[in-house]
Every structure is written in structure tokens, then in C-alpha cells.
Amino acid sequence: MGYLTERVKDVKYDAERGQVELVKGYPEEGFLWNPDFHPTPINKRNWDWYTYAAIWFGMAFIVPSWSLVSVGLAFGLGTWDSLLAVFLGNVIVLIPMIIQSHGGARYGIPEPVLTRTRWGVYGAIFPSWVRAVIGAGWWGIETYIMTEAAVGIYAIITHKLNVIQGLVTKGVANPFTLSLAFPAVFWVTFAAIIALQLLLLYFSPVPEAQPTLKWFARSAAPLILLGFLMIWGIFMSRAGWHYGGIIVSPTIHGLNYWLAWLAFLNANVAYWATMALSMPDYTRFAKSQFAQVVGQSFMPLMMVMVGLLGIMTTGAIMYLYHIPIWDPILITTLYLPAGLAIFINIVFMLATFAVNVFANTVGPAYDFANTFPKRLTWFRGVVIVVIISIILGAWTFYGSAYGYLYNWLLTYGGLLGSIEGIIIFDYALIRRFKFELGL
């Protein structure tokens, strides 16, 4: 009893901010505690609502989001049906995301520590590893996309666009086009981009509230939006604002339509399902609950906006070149003036870099480190993420609508759905958003 009393004395509550702080570390608890997992001090919880909105700008305005509606069209859904599924799917996943984020903001703890309250100290390893492996798969996909943009720049500088155009003319207009055009250059660049990401993460320590990541999120978001708007504006202007070729009605009906629509809706729920678990890794730095809730609430609208820009631009491309190309990297590389294409491809790299750091690296690294905190720091968890992402090779699903929807999004969505159900039931319904720290 005296032991528990001493632990309670180590807890400080800020009534004005509604936040709890642990004022003492426990280095003797080698299997449970290290500086990376220690609750963030209240005076270092300084991320405001704009920081979270900027993070979501960086994560929503990426190449997979631009192309996401095309998956619905590939399965026979109409344009507006697909956009509605994108919006509703992201509204649905936002609910467990906000609930999970509350614990991070109130107690300053990352997701693995929060998960221990529901699954036990050792049981928490299972849901954390599920999330981490899926995040590692996405890490590989996003790194592949960054490599696409870099190789697009290479093709422009070396005047080898004819190699890409030859493949597009043959009907190879997908995310695999650039890797097929320049295989040696592509995979060497892939390795170099992995090294660059590791460098940034190494110099952004968790105990200091990750200042490098905070700065990166705030500065990259406006540039990302500018790049996508430039692509949309340029091609729409060239096409005389003709985009109707891509506004189509469903080609399937009855039961087949509803099965396809529900599958696509669930795929959109799954799209950010890892973030519904991971957000405490970021909201542990929140100034308040207001900051994290307001900052994240824009996400469904952002996803619809980027999807709509992608639809209209693809319609303009069909009108101009009579080829449906959904991949914006391919569009930019082939059809924009050299200087502008290089600039926009750099923007694509920044955008993808941002989402890879925030969605697919920070959280999974905590998860792997949580397995053995005595020996595994957060950065060592990052290294494990990279290794697993290479082993998984999830980018092989990305070029096929069927593989992307069924073999990737819906497969891991089913695993995460049950875990997120437990989160809602435990923290919101049973605990009523509060832990009894003295028990």
C-alpha cells in the first residue's frame, strides 16, 4: 500500500489544462520504462491545433490519397459514389482516433503505454506489433513513392522521358512505370532515400518533444497544398476546364454494387486505421484536448478535397492525351515543363516524406521499442521498422487496384477493426476517459 502511495505522490495534475504529469522516472523498471516512454512533461506539451492540422495536411495530401478514388472506379463504382465512400470512411475512423488521442493528450503517454491499460503489460505487445507491422508495410509503399518522384527528376535531367513515354504508349501507366523504365537507378535511389529518412529521425529525439518533426510538419504543409493545386490548375487550364470524362455513373448494380461500395468504404476506414491507434504518439505533445480535436477534425474534408483534385486532373488528362493516368508523378514528369516538373516532384517527395515520418515511423517505432524498453530505444525501433518494411515489400500491392484493396487495405483493416473496438469500449464506455492512477 505504501508503494502505491509513493507512486501517487509522483503524479502532478494541472487542472487548468486537464493534463496529468509524472514527475519522476523509474529506471529500475527496465522492462517497462525508458526516457522515450516517460510521459511528456506538461511544459513540453506545446503542439497547438495548427500543428495537428498541418500533420494531417502532410498525410492527406499524398500520392495514394490523390489516386484513391480510382480504386472505386476500377471496381465499377461511380465518381460521386467513390467520393462519398472516401468521406464517410474517414469520418468513421476519426471517431476512434479522437478517443484514442484523448489519453495521449491527458497523460502525455505514447500508444504502447496506453495500450498496456487494456491488454496488460505483456499482452499489449500483440496489438502494438499488429499496428507496427502494418505501419512498416506502409513505410515501404511511401518510400517507393518518394523514389518514383526522385527517378522522375532523373529522367527529366537526363532527357530520357522517351523511355517512360514508350511504356505509357504500350499501356503501362501505373506506379510501376518508372521502376520498369530505369530499374538500376530506381533501386539505388530507393536505398538512398531510406538512409536520408533515418538521418532525419536520428536527429529528432523523442524526449525533447521531437522539435525537428514539429518544424517539418508546420513548414511542409503549405508547400504540399501549393504543389497539388498547381498540378490541378495547370492541367485544367490546358483542357479548357474539361474534366467530365472521368465523372461516370456506376457500371455495376444491385447486390454487386453494394458489395463493392461497402468494400471500398471499409478500405477507406482501413486507410488511416493505423493512425487511429497511433495518435497518442503525437497527442502526448498536445497543449490541450482542444488542440488535438480541432486539428484532427479537418481530416475527412482534406481527403475529399485531394480526391476531387485527383478526379478532375485525371479527367483533364483524358481530354488532352486520351490516356487515363492517375499517378500524379507520372503526369508531372511527362507533361510539365522541365523546371516546373522538377519542383513539383520535389514537393511530392516532401509530402510523402511527411506522411512516412508521422504515420508510418513514429508509432511503429514506439511499438517495437515497447517489446524490450531496457534495450530498445525509439530510434532502434525505427531501424526495425525499416528492416520489416523491406522484408514485407508491400509496394508490390500498390500498382494493382485489386491487390491494393483486398490484399492490403481490407486484410489489415480487419485485424485493426477488432483492436479499435476494444479501445472505444474500454476507454470511452468503461473508464469514461479517465484512469484511476492510484489503483
Side-chain angles (χ1 to χ4, degrees):
M1 190 68 182
Y3 178 75
L4 288 176
T5 303
E6 286 300 315
R7 285 292 173 95
V8 173
K9 289 181 180 178
D10 296 336
V11 175
K12 174 184 175 182
Y13 176 64
D14 187 321
E16 183 178 349
R17 297 175 60 152
Q19 293 180 322
V20 179
E21 179 179 358
L22 186 63
V23 296
K24 178 185 175 183
Y26 296 93
E28 70 275 11
E29 301 283 2
F31 290 95
L32 300 174
W33 183 94
N34 70 27
D36 292 347
F37 287 106
H38 185 79
T40 305
I42 289 178
N43 64 4
K44 291 186 177 179
R45 299 185 202 178
N46 52 21
W47 289 24
D48 58 14
W49 72 267
Y50 177 77
T51 300
Y52 292 103
I55 288 171
W56 276 111
F57 252 109
M59 291 193 293
F61 282 81
I62 56 171
V63 174
S65 300
W66 179 279
S67 308
L68 187 58
V69 177
S70 68
V71 177
L73 299 183
F75 281 89
L77 299 177
T79 303
W80 302 119
D81 312 71
S82 298
L83 275 171
L84 179 62
V86 169
F87 178 72
L88 291 179
N90 284 282
V91 168
I92 291 169
V93 79
L94 185 63
I95 296 170
M97 195 179 297
I98 294 295
I99 292 173
Q100 175 80 329
S101 296
H102 184 279
R106 180 174 174 85
Y107 298 100
I109 53 179
E111 179 275 333
V113 179
L114 194 58
T115 298
R116 291 173 188 169
T117 66
R118 300 161 187 137
W119 298 75
V121 172
Y122 301 106
I125 293 174
F126 169 72
S128 291
W129 268 69
V130 170
R131 177 191 75 150
V133 171
I134 294 166
W138 270 112
W139 199 96
I141 291 173
E142 302 292 0
T143 301
Y144 181 93
I145 292 169
M146 278 186 276
T147 306
E148 270 195 283
V151 174
I153 294 171
Y154 162 82
I156 294 165
I157 293 173
T158 58
H159 306 289
K160 294 181 179 179
L161 294 179
N162 60 312
V163 179
I164 305 171
Q165 187 65 64
L167 290 172
V168 171
T169 302
K170 294 176 183 177
V172 184
N174 58 50
F176 296 148
T177 303
L178 287 163
S179 64
L180 293 172
F182 312 104
V185 172
F186 192 95
W187 295 111
V188 168
T189 305
F190 185 80
I193 287 175
I194 289 175
L196 285 172
Q197 290 179 93
L198 286 171
L199 189 65
L200 173 68
L201 293 162
Y202 181 78
F203 288 104
S204 190
V206 174
E208 298 302 321
Q210 298 185 300
T212 307
L213 298 188
K214 179 185 175 183
W215 172 86
F216 185 72
R218 293 177 71 100
S219 59
L223 188 61
I224 292 163
L225 179 60
L226 173 65
F228 277 101
L229 288 174
M230 286 177 68
I231 297 172
W232 170 77
I234 288 168
F235 285 104
M236 289 301 299
S237 179
R238 286 184 185 178
W241 297 90
H242 290 286
Y243 60 87
I246 206 69
I247 307 299
V248 297
S249 299
T251 58
I252 55 175
H253 304 281
L255 180 61
N256 288 336
Y257 168 84
W258 288 110
L259 289 175
W261 192 83
L262 289 172
F264 188 56
L265 175 68
N266 276 281
N268 278 277
V269 174
Y271 191 79
W272 290 121
T274 52
M275 292 305 298
L277 293 177
S278 302
M279 281 310 298
D281 299 334
Y282 313 99
T283 60
R284 67 182 299 200
F285 306 122
K287 292 175 68 173
S288 64
Q289 296 294 349
F290 175 86
Q292 65 94 359
V293 171
V294 171
Q296 295 191 76
S297 296
F298 295 102
M299 182 269 288
L301 294 175
M302 293 178 189
M303 290 297 295
V304 170
M305 182 178 177
V306 69
L308 188 58
L309 291 176
I311 285 172
M312 295 178 72
T313 304
T314 303
I317 293 294
M318 289 179 65
Y319 179 84
L320 289 167
Y321 307 109
H322 311 293
I323 303 172
I325 304 178
W326 281 94
D327 188 345
I329 294 173
L330 206 51
I331 293 169
T332 300
T333 301
L334 280 177
Y335 300 124
L336 288 182
L340 185 59
I342 290 171
F343 169 74
I344 293 180
N345 272 333
I346 290 172
V347 169
F348 284 144
M349 292 178 70
L350 281 174
T352 311
F353 202 175
V355 74
N356 221 25
V357 169
F358 287 104
N360 309 319
T361 309
V362 175
Y366 278 121
D367 291 328
F368 289 126
N370 182 55
T371 306
F372 193 27
K374 187 175 183 178
R375 298 298 181 195
L376 292 177
T377 63
W378 176 77
F379 183 74
R380 289 174 181 172
V382 170
V383 175
I384 296 173
V385 170
V386 174
I387 293 170
I388 291 180
S389 74
I390 294 170
I391 293 171
L392 283 176
W395 57 83
T396 57
F397 299 126
Y398 179 59
S400 159
Y402 183 90
Y404 187 46
L405 183 72
Y406 285 101
N407 296 339
W408 182 239
L409 293 174
L410 291 182
T411 297
Y412 80 67
L415 288 170
L416 290 178
S418 57
I419 294 172
E420 289 171 13
I422 291 172
I423 289 171
I424 295 172
F425 190 81
D426 175 80
Y427 190 64
L429 300 181
I430 295 178
R431 301 180 188 265
R432 304 295 178 91
F433 297 92
K434 183 180 179 180
F435 295 131
E436 297 295 337
L437 299 179
L439 299 178

